[in-house]
mmCIF file of all heavy atoms in Angstrom:
data_model
loop_
_atom_site.group_PDB
_atom_site.id
_atom_site.type_symbol
_atom_site.label_atom_id
_atom_site.label_comp_id
_atom_site.label_asym_id
_atom_site.label_seq_id
_atom_site.Cartn_x
_atom_site.Cartn_y
_atom_site.Cartn_z
ATOM 1 N N VAL A 1 -64.923 -87.953 29.849
ATOM 2 C CA VAL A 1 -65.127 -86.503 29.864
ATOM 3 C C VAL A 1 -66.316 -86.175 28.974
ATOM 4 O O VAL A 1 -66.430 -86.691 27.854
ATOM 5 C CB VAL A 1 -63.881 -85.741 29.369
ATOM 6 C CG1 VAL A 1 -64.171 -84.246 29.266
ATOM 7 C CG2 VAL A 1 -62.699 -85.984 30.298
ATOM 8 N N LEU A 2 -67.207 -85.361 29.477
ATOM 9 C CA LEU A 2 -68.362 -84.907 28.698
ATOM 10 C C LEU A 2 -68.241 -83.419 28.436
ATOM 11 O O LEU A 2 -68.134 -82.618 29.366
ATOM 12 C CB LEU A 2 -69.666 -85.183 29.451
ATOM 13 C CG LEU A 2 -70.937 -84.594 28.826
ATOM 14 C CD1 LEU A 2 -71.157 -85.131 27.422
ATOM 15 C CD2 LEU A 2 -72.151 -84.869 29.705
ATOM 16 N N VAL A 3 -68.241 -83.044 27.167
ATOM 17 C CA VAL A 3 -68.193 -81.634 26.772
ATOM 18 C C VAL A 3 -69.619 -81.155 26.549
ATOM 19 O O VAL A 3 -70.333 -81.680 25.693
ATOM 20 C CB VAL A 3 -67.359 -81.436 25.494
ATOM 21 C CG1 VAL A 3 -67.371 -79.973 25.071
ATOM 22 C CG2 VAL A 3 -65.932 -81.921 25.712
ATOM 23 N N ALA A 4 -70.031 -80.156 27.333
ATOM 24 C CA ALA A 4 -71.395 -79.622 27.230
ATOM 25 C C ALA A 4 -71.343 -78.110 27.425
ATOM 26 O O ALA A 4 -72.069 -77.551 28.244
ATOM 27 C CB ALA A 4 -72.307 -80.271 28.259
ATOM 28 N N VAL A 5 -70.462 -77.464 26.657
ATOM 29 C CA VAL A 5 -70.198 -76.037 26.868
ATOM 30 C C VAL A 5 -71.152 -75.123 26.104
ATOM 31 O O VAL A 5 -71.141 -73.901 26.300
ATOM 32 C CB VAL A 5 -68.746 -75.688 26.486
ATOM 33 C CG1 VAL A 5 -67.770 -76.369 27.430
ATOM 34 C CG2 VAL A 5 -68.436 -76.081 25.042
ATOM 35 N N GLY A 6 -71.974 -75.687 25.206
ATOM 36 C CA GLY A 6 -72.969 -74.875 24.523
ATOM 37 C C GLY A 6 -72.369 -73.860 23.578
ATOM 38 O O GLY A 6 -71.264 -74.028 23.054
ATOM 39 N N GLY A 7 -73.110 -72.788 23.346
ATOM 40 C CA GLY A 7 -72.683 -71.747 22.415
ATOM 41 C C GLY A 7 -73.036 -70.368 22.930
ATOM 42 O O GLY A 7 -73.742 -70.222 23.929
ATOM 43 N N ARG A 8 -72.533 -69.367 22.230
ATOM 44 C CA ARG A 8 -72.802 -67.970 22.581
ATOM 45 C C ARG A 8 -73.181 -67.188 21.323
ATOM 46 O O ARG A 8 -72.782 -67.544 20.210
ATOM 47 C CB ARG A 8 -71.555 -67.343 23.213
ATOM 48 C CG ARG A 8 -71.108 -67.978 24.519
ATOM 49 C CD ARG A 8 -71.988 -67.606 25.683
ATOM 50 N NE ARG A 8 -71.872 -66.217 26.058
ATOM 51 C CZ ARG A 8 -70.957 -65.732 26.913
ATOM 52 N NH1 ARG A 8 -70.077 -66.564 27.482
ATOM 53 N NH2 ARG A 8 -70.931 -64.460 27.228
ATOM 54 N N PRO A 9 -73.944 -66.105 21.473
ATOM 55 C CA PRO A 9 -74.319 -65.300 20.307
ATOM 56 C C PRO A 9 -73.085 -64.744 19.597
ATOM 57 O O PRO A 9 -72.057 -64.459 20.221
ATOM 58 C CB PRO A 9 -75.145 -64.161 20.917
ATOM 59 C CG PRO A 9 -75.604 -64.669 22.236
ATOM 60 C CD PRO A 9 -74.525 -65.584 22.725
ATOM 61 N N TYR A 10 -73.233 -64.598 18.307
ATOM 62 C CA TYR A 10 -72.128 -64.163 17.446
ATOM 63 C C TYR A 10 -72.385 -62.738 16.966
ATOM 64 O O TYR A 10 -73.479 -62.417 16.483
ATOM 65 C CB TYR A 10 -72.026 -65.123 16.258
ATOM 66 C CG TYR A 10 -71.168 -64.644 15.128
ATOM 67 C CD1 TYR A 10 -69.779 -64.587 15.247
ATOM 68 C CD2 TYR A 10 -71.735 -64.269 13.909
ATOM 69 C CE1 TYR A 10 -68.988 -64.164 14.194
ATOM 70 C CE2 TYR A 10 -70.959 -63.848 12.847
ATOM 71 C CZ TYR A 10 -69.587 -63.801 12.990
ATOM 72 O OH TYR A 10 -68.804 -63.379 11.946
ATOM 73 N N ILE A 11 -71.392 -61.873 17.102
ATOM 74 C CA ILE A 11 -71.434 -60.530 16.524
ATOM 75 C C ILE A 11 -70.315 -60.449 15.496
ATOM 76 O O ILE A 11 -69.142 -60.646 15.841
ATOM 77 C CB ILE A 11 -71.250 -59.426 17.583
ATOM 78 C CG1 ILE A 11 -72.348 -59.497 18.646
ATOM 79 C CG2 ILE A 11 -71.259 -58.043 16.918
ATOM 80 C CD1 ILE A 11 -72.214 -58.441 19.727
ATOM 81 N N PRO A 12 -70.630 -60.177 14.235
ATOM 82 C CA PRO A 12 -69.587 -60.160 13.203
ATOM 83 C C PRO A 12 -68.572 -59.046 13.436
ATOM 84 O O PRO A 12 -68.949 -57.883 13.619
ATOM 85 C CB PRO A 12 -70.371 -59.947 11.905
ATOM 86 C CG PRO A 12 -71.671 -59.350 12.327
ATOM 87 C CD PRO A 12 -71.965 -59.892 13.685
ATOM 88 N N ARG A 13 -67.313 -59.404 13.429
ATOM 89 C CA ARG A 13 -66.249 -58.424 13.662
ATOM 90 C C ARG A 13 -65.939 -57.576 12.441
ATOM 91 O O ARG A 13 -65.215 -56.579 12.554
ATOM 92 C CB ARG A 13 -64.988 -59.143 14.157
ATOM 93 C CG ARG A 13 -65.176 -59.792 15.521
ATOM 94 C CD ARG A 13 -63.882 -60.323 16.101
ATOM 95 N NE ARG A 13 -64.089 -60.763 17.478
ATOM 96 C CZ ARG A 13 -64.046 -59.973 18.537
ATOM 97 N NH1 ARG A 13 -63.789 -58.682 18.370
ATOM 98 N NH2 ARG A 13 -64.243 -60.438 19.751
ATOM 99 N N ASP A 14 -66.486 -57.981 11.287
ATOM 100 C CA ASP A 14 -66.217 -57.194 10.081
ATOM 101 C C ASP A 14 -67.217 -56.063 9.877
ATOM 102 O O ASP A 14 -67.168 -55.357 8.867
ATOM 103 C CB ASP A 14 -66.186 -58.099 8.848
ATOM 104 C CG ASP A 14 -67.496 -58.854 8.630
ATOM 105 O OD1 ASP A 14 -68.359 -58.808 9.527
ATOM 106 O OD2 ASP A 14 -67.644 -59.484 7.569
ATOM 107 N N VAL A 15 -68.146 -55.882 10.827
ATOM 108 C CA VAL A 15 -69.065 -54.742 10.793
ATOM 109 C C VAL A 15 -68.552 -53.704 11.784
ATOM 110 O O VAL A 15 -68.631 -53.905 13.003
ATOM 111 C CB VAL A 15 -70.504 -55.157 11.172
ATOM 112 C CG1 VAL A 15 -71.423 -53.939 11.205
ATOM 113 C CG2 VAL A 15 -71.034 -56.196 10.198
ATOM 114 N N PRO A 16 -67.986 -52.599 11.309
ATOM 115 C CA PRO A 16 -67.412 -51.598 12.219
ATOM 116 C C PRO A 16 -68.406 -51.134 13.267
ATOM 117 O O PRO A 16 -69.545 -50.803 12.958
ATOM 118 C CB PRO A 16 -67.022 -50.449 11.273
ATOM 119 C CG PRO A 16 -66.823 -51.104 9.943
ATOM 120 C CD PRO A 16 -67.828 -52.226 9.888
ATOM 121 N N GLY A 17 -67.981 -51.150 14.513
ATOM 122 C CA GLY A 17 -68.793 -50.667 15.622
ATOM 123 C C GLY A 17 -69.718 -51.697 16.227
ATOM 124 O O GLY A 17 -70.264 -51.472 17.315
ATOM 125 N N ALA A 18 -69.911 -52.845 15.577
ATOM 126 C CA ALA A 18 -70.896 -53.812 16.058
ATOM 127 C C ALA A 18 -70.490 -54.410 17.399
ATOM 128 O O ALA A 18 -71.300 -54.468 18.333
ATOM 129 C CB ALA A 18 -71.106 -54.911 15.019
ATOM 130 N N VAL A 19 -69.263 -54.878 17.523
ATOM 131 C CA VAL A 19 -68.825 -55.515 18.764
ATOM 132 C C VAL A 19 -68.862 -54.524 19.923
ATOM 133 O O VAL A 19 -69.237 -54.865 21.049
ATOM 134 C CB VAL A 19 -67.408 -56.101 18.598
ATOM 135 C CG1 VAL A 19 -66.871 -56.609 19.928
ATOM 136 C CG2 VAL A 19 -67.424 -57.229 17.571
ATOM 137 N N GLU A 20 -68.497 -53.284 19.648
ATOM 138 C CA GLU A 20 -68.417 -52.277 20.708
ATOM 139 C C GLU A 20 -69.787 -51.748 21.129
ATOM 140 O O GLU A 20 -70.001 -51.435 22.309
ATOM 141 C CB GLU A 20 -67.554 -51.086 20.238
ATOM 142 C CG GLU A 20 -66.103 -51.420 19.961
ATOM 143 C CD GLU A 20 -65.884 -52.075 18.598
ATOM 144 O OE1 GLU A 20 -66.840 -52.083 17.774
ATOM 145 O OE2 GLU A 20 -64.773 -52.585 18.364
ATOM 146 N N LEU A 21 -70.732 -51.639 20.187
ATOM 147 C CA LEU A 21 -71.974 -50.919 20.466
ATOM 148 C C LEU A 21 -73.214 -51.799 20.551
ATOM 149 O O LEU A 21 -74.206 -51.401 21.166
ATOM 150 C CB LEU A 21 -72.201 -49.850 19.380
ATOM 151 C CG LEU A 21 -71.101 -48.789 19.252
ATOM 152 C CD1 LEU A 21 -71.431 -47.828 18.123
ATOM 153 C CD2 LEU A 21 -70.918 -48.039 20.556
ATOM 154 N N ALA A 22 -73.184 -52.963 19.935
ATOM 155 C CA ALA A 22 -74.378 -53.815 19.928
ATOM 156 C C ALA A 22 -74.438 -54.693 21.171
ATOM 157 O O ALA A 22 -73.421 -54.967 21.809
ATOM 158 C CB ALA A 22 -74.392 -54.687 18.672
ATOM 159 N N VAL A 23 -75.634 -55.134 21.503
ATOM 160 C CA VAL A 23 -75.837 -56.119 22.557
ATOM 161 C C VAL A 23 -76.392 -57.381 21.905
ATOM 162 O O VAL A 23 -76.759 -57.388 20.727
ATOM 163 C CB VAL A 23 -76.802 -55.619 23.651
ATOM 164 C CG1 VAL A 23 -76.252 -54.374 24.317
ATOM 165 C CG2 VAL A 23 -78.205 -55.376 23.095
ATOM 166 N N THR A 24 -76.448 -58.462 22.667
ATOM 167 C CA THR A 24 -77.057 -59.708 22.216
ATOM 168 C C THR A 24 -78.043 -60.171 23.281
ATOM 169 O O THR A 24 -78.259 -59.486 24.287
ATOM 170 C CB THR A 24 -75.993 -60.801 21.986
ATOM 171 O OG1 THR A 24 -75.451 -61.185 23.259
ATOM 172 C CG2 THR A 24 -74.882 -60.318 21.067
ATOM 173 N N SER A 25 -78.592 -61.359 23.088
ATOM 174 C CA SER A 25 -79.466 -61.924 24.115
ATOM 175 C C SER A 25 -78.695 -62.180 25.415
ATOM 176 O O SER A 25 -79.315 -62.318 26.471
ATOM 177 C CB SER A 25 -80.108 -63.216 23.613
ATOM 178 O OG SER A 25 -79.123 -64.138 23.174
ATOM 179 N N ASP A 26 -77.366 -62.240 25.356
ATOM 180 C CA ASP A 26 -76.563 -62.356 26.577
ATOM 181 C C ASP A 26 -76.686 -61.119 27.465
ATOM 182 O O ASP A 26 -76.422 -61.184 28.667
ATOM 183 C CB ASP A 26 -75.078 -62.562 26.234
ATOM 184 C CG ASP A 26 -74.766 -64.000 25.867
ATOM 185 O OD1 ASP A 26 -75.679 -64.839 25.891
ATOM 186 O OD2 ASP A 26 -73.592 -64.280 25.538
ATOM 187 N N ASP A 27 -77.051 -59.980 26.853
ATOM 188 C CA ASP A 27 -77.096 -58.708 27.581
ATOM 189 C C ASP A 27 -78.509 -58.178 27.796
ATOM 190 O O ASP A 27 -78.772 -57.481 28.779
ATOM 191 C CB ASP A 27 -76.301 -57.640 26.801
ATOM 192 C CG ASP A 27 -74.943 -58.119 26.351
ATOM 193 O OD1 ASP A 27 -74.084 -58.348 27.215
ATOM 194 O OD2 ASP A 27 -74.750 -58.280 25.130
ATOM 195 N N LEU A 28 -79.413 -58.502 26.873
ATOM 196 C CA LEU A 28 -80.718 -57.842 26.844
ATOM 197 C C LEU A 28 -81.522 -58.059 28.111
ATOM 198 O O LEU A 28 -82.182 -57.144 28.614
ATOM 199 C CB LEU A 28 -81.510 -58.350 25.630
ATOM 200 C CG LEU A 28 -82.874 -57.713 25.387
ATOM 201 C CD1 LEU A 28 -82.738 -56.207 25.162
ATOM 202 C CD2 LEU A 28 -83.564 -58.369 24.187
ATOM 203 N N PHE A 29 -81.472 -59.268 28.678
ATOM 204 C CA PHE A 29 -82.332 -59.592 29.819
ATOM 205 C C PHE A 29 -81.849 -58.971 31.130
ATOM 206 O O PHE A 29 -82.548 -59.043 32.136
ATOM 207 C CB PHE A 29 -82.452 -61.097 29.973
ATOM 208 C CG PHE A 29 -82.989 -61.771 28.737
ATOM 209 C CD1 PHE A 29 -82.199 -62.638 28.004
ATOM 210 C CD2 PHE A 29 -84.274 -61.518 28.303
ATOM 211 C CE1 PHE A 29 -82.690 -63.253 26.861
ATOM 212 C CE2 PHE A 29 -84.776 -62.124 27.154
ATOM 213 C CZ PHE A 29 -83.978 -62.989 26.434
ATOM 214 N N SER A 30 -80.661 -58.380 31.117
ATOM 215 C CA SER A 30 -80.162 -57.682 32.306
ATOM 216 C C SER A 30 -79.860 -56.221 32.004
ATOM 217 O O SER A 30 -79.206 -55.545 32.805
ATOM 218 C CB SER A 30 -78.902 -58.376 32.842
ATOM 219 O OG SER A 30 -77.880 -58.398 31.862
ATOM 220 N N LEU A 31 -80.330 -55.721 30.884
ATOM 221 C CA LEU A 31 -80.050 -54.346 30.462
ATOM 222 C C LEU A 31 -80.619 -53.361 31.485
ATOM 223 O O LEU A 31 -81.818 -53.369 31.767
ATOM 224 C CB LEU A 31 -80.664 -54.102 29.087
ATOM 225 C CG LEU A 31 -80.136 -52.934 28.261
ATOM 226 C CD1 LEU A 31 -78.673 -53.156 27.891
ATOM 227 C CD2 LEU A 31 -80.983 -52.766 27.002
ATOM 228 N N SER A 32 -79.756 -52.531 32.037
ATOM 229 C CA SER A 32 -80.180 -51.648 33.123
ATOM 230 C C SER A 32 -81.000 -50.458 32.636
ATOM 231 O O SER A 32 -81.777 -49.887 33.397
ATOM 232 C CB SER A 32 -78.961 -51.143 33.904
ATOM 233 O OG SER A 32 -78.087 -50.420 33.052
#
């Protein structure tokens, strides 16, 4: 078995509003 799942951008959950309101590079390139 080969694990090659990579990683994803991290948004700190201890910053109020960050997870709900911020985007990352996962979102920016398709931002409408």
Side-chain angles (χ1 to χ4, degrees):
V1 174
L2 172 60
V3 178
V5 294
R8 297 285 291 273
Y10 166 72
I11 300 179
R13 295 189 172 275
D14 59 351
V15 177
V19 173
E20 296 80 11
L21 300 178
V23 299
T24 69
S25 55
D26 280 359
D27 312 293
L28 183 60
F29 303 114
S30 59
L31 199 64
S32 60

